[in-house]
Amino acid sequence: MTGGGSGIGAATVALLREADYEVLAMGRRRDALDAVAAATGCDTFAGDVSNIIDNERLREAVASIPTPLVGLVNAAGVNFVGSVGAATLEEWNRTIAINLTGAFDVTRQLLPALRTSGGSIVMVASVAADRAPQGAAAYAVSKAGMAQLGYVLAVEEGRGERPVRCNVVNPGWTRTEMADAEMAAFASIVGLDVESAYRELSKLVPLGRPAHAVEVAQAIVWLLGPNASYVNGATISVDGGHRLIDAGTVPFNFTIAPRTLDELDP
């Protein structure tokens, strides 16, 4: 489990432990990993998925565990805000290195063990993988690549005596540490608090709110397990219906006008 120290990753670790899975949570921050381990009893591995040496060490750590590797969740991710014209090459490279190349290398390292057990892989991408968000160029491209990597794996690894399944989960706005930071940045610009910022950015979501991390984790755990045994190469959007909104008809359903702070939802 990469990205296991916080957010969707930590919520997934908790659900897997509740289901009696042995879990090895990987993350860059030792303090966050220690907190997850204390709460769930999982094993931890401190490392950066963009570092090939760390990923080789991860493979060795997995090999030393007596139980077979039956699942891999690639949930490590970062987001540098910036359009194509504004993002720096350093920000672009760092985003691709963690979100896409990191997922590739971790998967490459662990595929032999997954082939032995007939395991399952879940890529935690984003609704940004199949949309064109403004100001998140590197993030959107990295998540689109991550989703495509999942589809390629589904085809390449789906045959054989012990097929390896691979599926993709696309979360929408989800209440996590990373999203909280983005909400705080938005809130500071328009003079809101974080809760009001979440409400503003969820106004066009059919369910009218962001997801809780556990709601995304439930989809991941289902895809990993035996109840999804014939689900391969699928994308599950956990986004409250976000992806269904048609920009061309929004003006017919909403009043588009500048709003003052007094007019925002309390």
Side-chain angles (χ1 to χ4, degrees), residues 39-250:
T40 67
C42 72
D43 293 321
T44 62
F45 180 89
D48 184 338
V49 297
S50 68
N51 185 319
I52 189 171
I53 302 302
D54 285 353
N55 294 338
E56 289 172 350
R57 290 175 47 242
L58 173 67
R59 182 192 66 218
E60 294 168 358
V62 169
S64 70
I65 297 172
T67 54
L69 179 65
V70 298
L72 167 63
V73 181
N74 284 302
V78 295
N79 180 20
F80 290 101
V81 176
S83 65
V84 172
T88 67
L89 185 59
E90 180 182 6
E91 290 168 341
W92 173 275
N93 287 339
R94 183 63 176 155
T95 304
I96 298 296
I98 293 175
N99 296 3
L100 179 54
T101 308
F104 164 79
D105 191 43
V106 168
T107 303
R108 181 181 67 89
Q109 299 279 359
L110 298 182
L111 259 179
L114 289 165
R115 288 169 178 156
T116 298
S117 65
S120 175
I121 303 167
V122 176
M123 300 289 187
V124 182
S126 168
V127 291
D130 58 4
R131 294 293 183 268
Q134 297 183 63
Y139 182 78
V141 171
S142 69
K143 291 299 188 177
M146 187 186 199
Q148 186 62 40
L149 174 62
Y151 306 145
V152 169
L153 283 163
V155 173
E156 291 182 346
E157 301 297 328
R159 297 187 181 274
E161 185 178 348
R162 292 185 177 86
V164 176
R165 297 183 298 109
C166 186
N167 294 286
V168 178
V169 170
N170 281 347
W173 279 115
T174 305
R175 300 189 70 115
T176 64
E177 188 176 308
M178 186 167 75
D180 285 351
E182 293 177 76
M183 290 301 109
F186 171 69
S188 68
I189 294 170
V190 296
L192 300 175
D193 58 32
V194 169
E195 292 302 318
S196 297
Y198 268 117
R199 285 196 294 272
E200 280 299 293
L201 269 69
S202 299
K203 279 189 178 294
L204 296 185
V205 175
L207 288 185
R209 63 172 178 85
H212 298 288
V214 69
E215 294 176 302
V216 182
Q218 287 164 342
I220 295 169
V221 172
W222 178 74
L223 286 170
L224 285 175
N227 290 335
S229 59
Y230 200 63
V231 182
N232 187 40
T235 298
I236 294 182
S237 294
V238 187
D239 65 354
H242 176 150
R243 72 204 177 283
L244 301 177
I245 298 302
D246 172 21
T249 59
V250 166

